[in-house]
Amino acid sequence: MIAAVLSGFILAIFAPWLPRLRRLAHKAAWIIALLPLAQVIYFAGFIAPVTNGEVFTFTYAWVPSLNINLSFYVDGLSLVFALLISGIGALVVIYGGEYLSGHPQLGRFYASLLMFMASMLGVVLADNLITLFVFWELTSLSSYLLIGFDHERAAARAAALQALLVTGAGGLALLAGFILLGNAGGSLELSSLLSRGEAIRTHSLYLPILLLVLAGAFTKSAQVPFHFWLPSAMEAPTPVSAYLHSATMVKAGIYLLARLSPILGNTEAWNYLVTLAGAVTMLIGAALALAQTDLKRILAYSTVSALGTLTLLIGLDTTQAVKAAMVFLVVHSLYKGALFLVAGAVDHETGTRNVEALGGLRRKMPIITAAALLAALSMAGLPPLFGFISKELLYEAKLQAPNAAWLITGAGVVANALMVALAGIVGLRPFFGQPTETPKAPHQAPFALWLGPTLLAMMGLIIGLFPDTIARPLVAAAVSAVRAEPTEIKLALWHGLNPILALGIITVASGVGVYFVRHLLRRYLARRVEMVTPWGPTRLYGLGLDGLNLLARAQTRLLQSGYLRFYLMIIIATTIGLVVYTLASNGQLNGVVRQPGEARFYEMVVAMLILIAAVVVTRAQSRLAAVAALGVVGYGVAMIFIFFSAPDLAMTQFTIETLTVVLFVLVLYKLPRFAQYSGLSHRMRDALVAVVAGGVMTVLILIVTAVPSPSRLTSYFAENSLLLAKGRNVVNVILVDFRGLDTFGEITVLAVAAIGVYALLKLRLEKDGN
C-alpha cells in the first residue's frame, strides 16, 4: 500500500526529464500514465473483499513516541475515491501531454500533477489523522504549483496564492480540530475513532472540534463564503482544472465530511450547519454560473453548486441521503471531468472559451461534440444517462429529509433547473446553431484530447444503462462505510410514475425555459453580482490580504531597519526583558546568589585580560588592533574552558577563534578606511545596553550555580552516549545524535538563508524599478 501511495512522489522526481529525452518526448505522457493505470488495477483488487464487508489497514511506524503512524485504511468510501483519483488521473496525464505539447515547462507540469495525485491518494487512504493532515497540506502545496503553472502571468500567480491562503488557513483549523479529536477520542487512528462516535459527540470538546473540522472541509470544498477561490483557480491550464475541480481537490472536503460523519454526525449542530452551508452553496453556485460566459468559469461555478449539493446530502445524515451523495459523487466526477476536458479541447482548437463566440462546431469537431452532448445530458439528468438515476435519488433523499423537507426539495428543484440550463449552454451552444468566426480555424482535436472526455462521457451512458455494475461493488460499499452498517443498494432507471418523476419533469421543463431566456437572466444576475461584489467574500479576501501586507511592511520597518546594531539591540533588549521578568515573577531575584570569591589567581589574570581586551576593542583606532584584541577575548575564554576541564570546548573555541581572526585579517583590505560612524551619545547608549546585558547574564549565572539542582540529563547522557550513539565524546554525541534534529533544523535555516542571499544576488531589477 505504501508503494501505491508514495510512488507518485518518486515518479515526480524523474518526470521532468522524460520530455527532454529525444526518443521518449512524444510518449512521455503515455509512459507516465502507466503509473495511475497500475494504481487503478491495484485498487480494483480490493473491490471484491470490500464488497463482502472487509476493511484493510496498513500501519508503518513513523513517530511512535507521538503515536503518529503512516497508516492507511481501505474501505468502501476510500476505495471509490482512490479509483476516481487514479482513473481520471491517468486520462488527465495523457490529455495534458497533448494539451501542453511543446511547452518548455511540460516536465514541471508532470511532476506537480504526480505530486498532487499522490497527495490526494494519501488523503483518502490515510488512517492516522496527522498523516491525513500532512497529505491534506501537500494537496494545497501541489495545487498551488499547478494553478500557478503559468507563473509569468500575474493573474495565475494571484489565483494560486488565493487558493493556497484560503485552503491553507482552513488546513490550520483542521489540524487543531484533529488534535482535539485525538484527545477526545483517545486515538489518532480513524479506524479506532469510528467506533467511539457516541463518546466524542457527548464530549465537552465536541463543538470546537466540529467547528474546526468544518472550517477545514468548507474551505477545501469551496462552500460559501469560501467559494471564490475555485472560479479564480480557472487561471490554471485546463487539464489541471479538469482534475482538481472534478474528482479530486474540491472533493477532499466532501470526503472528510463523509469520513467523519459516523464520528461527528447525528447531532443538531452537524445537521443544521452542514445542511445550511450546502443548501446556500448549491443555490448561489448555480446562480453565479448562469451569469458567466467563459466555459471554464461556468463549469467552475456549477462545480461549486454540485459541492453544495453533496454537502447538503451529507448534512441530512440519512441512509438515503448518503446513497444519493455517493451516486452523485461518481456522476459528477464523470460528466464534469468530461466537460472540463471538452472545454479545453474547444479552447485549444478554436482559440476561445466564450460561449457567445462559439457555435456550429459539430461539423468540425464531431467526436468532441458527441462527448459534450453525452456529458451534458448526464449533467441535466436525462435518461438513460447515469445522471438521471442520480437526480431521482437526489429528490428521493430531499423529500425524506428529517426537517424542512419541502423547503430543501424546492431549493433542489431550482438548483437542478439551473443545471439543466447550464448543461445546454456548455454542451449544446458551442456545437449547434450557425458556425461562428473564431480566432483559430476549428478542426477535430487530436486523439489524446478526445480520448479522455469520450471515455468519461461513455461511462456515464454505460453505467446509466447497467447501473448494477457499480451498485453493490462501489456504491453499497461506500454507503456502508459512511453509515457504519451494512447497506443494500439497488439502482434502476425506472421507478414508475411517482412524485419524484414529476419533480424531474418539472426540473427539465424549467431548465429548458431558463436556457431560452438565459441572456436576460445573465444580464440581470451580472448587475446583481456587480452590486454585491464590493461587500462580497472576494473583496473581504482582498482587504484581508492588504491588511496582512500592511502589517508585514509595518513590522519590517520597525524590526528590520537594515542596521545590524538595531537588530542586536532588539534581540538583547528582548532577552533581558524576558529574563528579568521571569526572575522577578518567580521571586528568584531575592534568592540565593553565589558569592564570586572562589576564583584562583590565574583565573583572575585571564579574566582581567579578557576585560582589558574588550575595552581595547571598543577604543581601538585601527581594525587590526581591534581584531587582535578580539582574539585575546576568544583565546581567554578558551583558557577558561581548559581551567574547568572542558578541553573539547576549548579546542572548538581555539579553532573558531583562529579562523575568525584569519578571516577578519583577509577582509581588512577590502573594507573602506577606518572611521567613526557613531557619536558619543550613541556610544553611551550601546555601552549601557552592553553593561546591562552582561550584568543580567552574570546575575543569572550566579543564581543558577548557587542552587545546583539534580539533573537527570547529566547521568543519562553519560550512561547512554556510548550505548546508544556509539560515541565517547558526550558533547559531540549530544550535538550530532541526541539533539540531531535541532542541529538539522539549524543547518536547514542556514541553507534557506543562503538560498535567499543567492536569490538576492542573482536578482536583476529593471531600470524602472519593477
Side-chain angles (χ1 to χ4, degrees):
M1 177 56 70
I2 192 170
V5 175
L6 301 184
S7 54
F9 292 115
I10 297 171
L11 184 57
I13 298 173
F14 303 100
W17 279 272
L18 282 177
R20 300 180 183 179
L21 300 177
R22 186 172 299 174
R23 292 185 177 180
L24 300 178
H26 298 293
K27 302 176 182 176
W30 295 89
I31 294 172
I32 294 172
L34 291 176
L35 175 63
L37 283 175
Q39 289 170 333
V40 171
I41 296 170
Y42 173 73
F43 291 123
F46 288 96
I47 292 178
V50 168
T51 303
N52 293 326
E54 292 186 49
V55 296
F56 297 87
T57 56
F58 305 85
T59 303
Y60 309 90
W62 186 7
V63 190
S65 57
L66 297 178
N67 198 27
I68 299 175
N69 299 315
L70 196 60
S71 53
F72 302 100
Y73 182 74
V74 181
D75 64 355
L77 180 63
S78 54
L79 188 58
V80 169
F81 275 90
L83 288 170
L84 288 173
I85 292 165
S86 49
I88 296 179
L91 296 175
V92 169
V93 168
I94 295 171
Y95 183 96
E98 181 64 35
Y99 188 87
L100 297 172
S101 178
H103 196 290
Q105 299 297 330
L106 181 58
R108 179 161 59 85
F109 167 78
Y110 288 137
S112 303
L113 193 66
L114 288 169
M115 284 174 54
F116 179 81
M117 197 181 302
S119 304
M120 275 303 304
L121 284 176
V123 168
V124 301
L125 292 168
D127 189 16
N128 187 279
L129 289 176
I130 302 302
T131 304
L132 193 158
F133 171 75
V134 170
F135 284 115
W136 181 280
E137 289 301 279
L138 285 175
T139 64
S140 297
L141 183 62
S142 49
S143 66
Y144 171 78
L145 299 176
L146 287 169
I147 296 171
F149 179 72
D150 294 328
H151 60 274
E152 294 184 355
R153 291 192 301 112
R157 295 197 301 271
L161 180 63
Q162 188 181 68
L164 180 68
L165 291 177
V166 174
T167 59
L172 292 177
L174 184 65
L175 175 61
F178 279 171
I179 293 173
L180 294 181
L181 181 58
N183 289 334
S187 174
L188 290 172
E189 301 296 316
L190 279 168
S191 51
S192 299
L193 293 171
L194 288 173
S195 60
R196 304 174 189 176
E198 186 61 34
I200 294 171
R201 287 190 291 271
T202 56
H203 198 278
S204 58
L205 290 174
Y206 170 72
L207 189 57
I209 293 171
L210 177 62
L211 295 176
L212 291 168
V213 169
L214 291 184
F218 286 176
T219 51
K220 201 75 163 182
S221 284
Q223 299 297 298
V224 172
F226 309 109
H227 64 287
F228 56 90
W229 71 263
L230 199 157
S232 300
M234 293 302 108
E235 295 294 337
T238 299
V240 175
S241 304
Y243 194 45
L244 269 64
H245 307 131
S246 63
T248 53
M249 181 175 176
V250 293
K251 299 280 178 61
I254 302 301
Y255 166 80
L256 188 68
L257 292 175
R259 170 59 72 203
L260 296 181
S261 64
I263 304 171
L264 302 177
N266 197 25
T267 65
E268 286 190 355
W270 171 276
N271 294 137
Y272 284 118
L273 289 174
V274 179
T275 304
L276 182 62
V280 172
T281 303
M282 177 180 70
L283 289 171
I284 290 180
L288 291 176
L290 198 61
Q292 312 299 318
T293 56
D294 182 283
L295 274 175
K296 284 180 66 176
R297 290 184 70 83
I298 295 172
L299 293 172
Y301 277 111
S302 67
T303 298
V304 172
S305 178
L307 294 170
T309 302
L310 286 166
T311 303
L312 183 152
L313 292 170
I314 295 173
L316 293 180
D317 208 13
T318 64
T319 300
Q320 186 60 37
V322 174
K323 174 184 172 184
M326 293 301 107
V327 171
F328 185 55
L329 174 79
V330 178
V331 171
H332 179 261
S333 299
L334 295 178
Y335 78 67
K336 191 53 68 67
L339 288 174
F340 264 120
L341 296 179
V342 164
V346 169
D347 184 25
H348 195 268
E349 305 307 325
T350 66
T352 181
R353 299 195 308 252
N354 188 338
V355 290
E356 298 304 320
L358 292 168
L361 294 177
R362 67 184 185 283
R363 293 188 180 88
K364 300 291 184 181
M365 307 175 72
I367 300 178
I368 289 292
T369 302
L373 190 59
L374 282 177
L377 291 176
S378 188
M379 179 179 175
L382 293 176
L385 279 301
F386 194 28
F388 174 74
I389 298 174
S390 174
K391 190 175 63 179
E392 297 265 301
L393 293 174
L394 290 178
Y395 283 137
E396 188 177 355
K398 290 170 183 172
L399 285 171
Q400 296 178 8
N403 299 301
W406 281 104
L407 183 62
I408 293 173
T409 305
V413 171
V414 174
N416 287 339
L418 294 176
M419 284 294 178
V420 172
L422 294 171
I425 293 171
V426 299
L428 299 178
R429 177 69 180 82
F431 304 99
F432 296 92
Q434 293 299 317
T436 57
E437 200 69 32
T438 55
K440 292 167 61 178
H443 54 83
Q444 184 58 282
F447 172 71
L449 288 192
W450 60 255
L451 175 66
T454 305
L455 279 178
L456 293 174
M458 285 296 296
M459 287 181 67
L461 175 62
I462 293 171
I463 297 175
L465 293 172
F466 307 100
D468 285 338
T469 53
I470 71 162
R472 186 166 182 268
L474 293 179
V475 178
V479 175
S480 300
V482 177
R483 299 301 294 169
E485 59 185 13
T487 307
E488 291 293 328
I489 300 294
K490 290 184 179 179
L491 300 177
L493 269 175
W494 179 250
H495 292 87
L497 299 174
N498 53 30
I500 297 173
L501 182 63
L503 286 173
I505 294 172
I506 293 172
T507 300
V508 173
S510 304
V512 171
V514 171
Y515 177 80
F516 284 108
V517 297
R518 63 185 184 280
H519 298 294
L520 291 174
L521 285 174
R522 183 179 297 148
R523 285 194 291 271
Y524 173 81
L525 290 170
R527 286 197 295 271
R528 295 297 176 272
V529 170
E530 190 175 345
M531 292 172 59
V532 174
T533 299
W535 298 279
T538 305
R539 177 61 176 160
L540 293 178
Y541 165 80
L543 290 174
L545 190 59
D546 291 342
L548 192 63
N549 287 328
L550 185 64
L551 179 64
R553 285 193 292 270
Q555 70 87 22
T556 300
R557 282 196 295 270
L558 178 65
L559 301 177
Q560 300 185 26
S561 58
Y563 295 101
L564 182 60
R565 57 183 179 274
F566 291 139
Y567 295 162
L568 290 174
M569 279 193 291
I570 290 172
I571 294 171
I572 292 171
T574 304
T575 304
I576 293 171
L578 292 175
V579 169
V580 171
Y581 171 77
T582 304
L583 293 176
S585 59
N586 293 336
Q588 290 179 305
L589 286 178
N590 301 322
V592 180
V593 176
R594 181 179 180 179
Q595 298 301 317
E598 303 173 5
R600 286 162 287 194
F601 173 72
Y602 53 87
E603 294 172 354
M604 295 295 293
V605 170
V606 173
M608 289 302 296
L609 284 175
I610 292 174
L611 282 174
I612 293 171
V615 173
V616 171
V617 170
T618 60
R619 304 294 300 169
Q621 297 300 312
S622 74
R623 290 193 179 89
L624 192 58
V627 170
L630 206 57
V632 172
V633 174
Y635 289 124
V637 173
M639 290 298 293
I640 291 177
F641 287 150
I642 293 176
F643 295 158
F644 287 88
S645 304
D648 48 351
L649 285 179
M651 290 299 297
T652 304
Q653 180 70 25
F654 276 127
T655 304
I656 295 297
E657 202 57 44
T658 303
L659 183 62
T660 304
V661 171
V662 170
L663 289 176
F664 267 132
V665 172
L666 288 176
V667 301
L668 285 180
Y669 295 102
K670 301 292 184 182
L671 295 177
R673 293 178 61 83
F674 192 84
Q676 295 285 353
Y677 291 103
S678 56
L680 180 61
S681 60
H682 288 170
R683 285 175 164 251
M684 293 298 292
R685 177 201 60 196
D686 296 342
L688 178 64
V689 172
V691 169
V692 172
V696 169
M697 290 306 298
T698 303
V699 171
L700 182 64
I701 291 172
L702 292 175
I703 291 174
V704 170
T705 54
V707 188
S709 57
S711 172
R712 291 179 297 174
L713 293 178
T714 304
S715 58
Y716 175 83
F717 288 134
E719 294 170 1
N720 292 288
S721 291
L722 180 62
L723 183 65
L724 298 180
K726 313 302 180 190
R728 297 182 184 280
N729 188 318
V730 177
V731 175
N732 286 350
V733 168
I734 291 173
L735 289 174
V736 177
D737 292 279
F738 290 113
R739 58 179 296 267
L741 192 61
D742 291 347
T743 306
F744 181 72
E746 293 164 358
I747 295 173
T748 303
V749 170
L750 290 175
V752 172
I755 293 172
V757 171
Y758 178 77
L760 290 173
L761 292 174
K762 297 293 289 183
L763 183 64
R764 295 289 185 270
L765 294 177
E766 298 175 9
K767 290 182 178 180
D768 60 359
N770 292 327

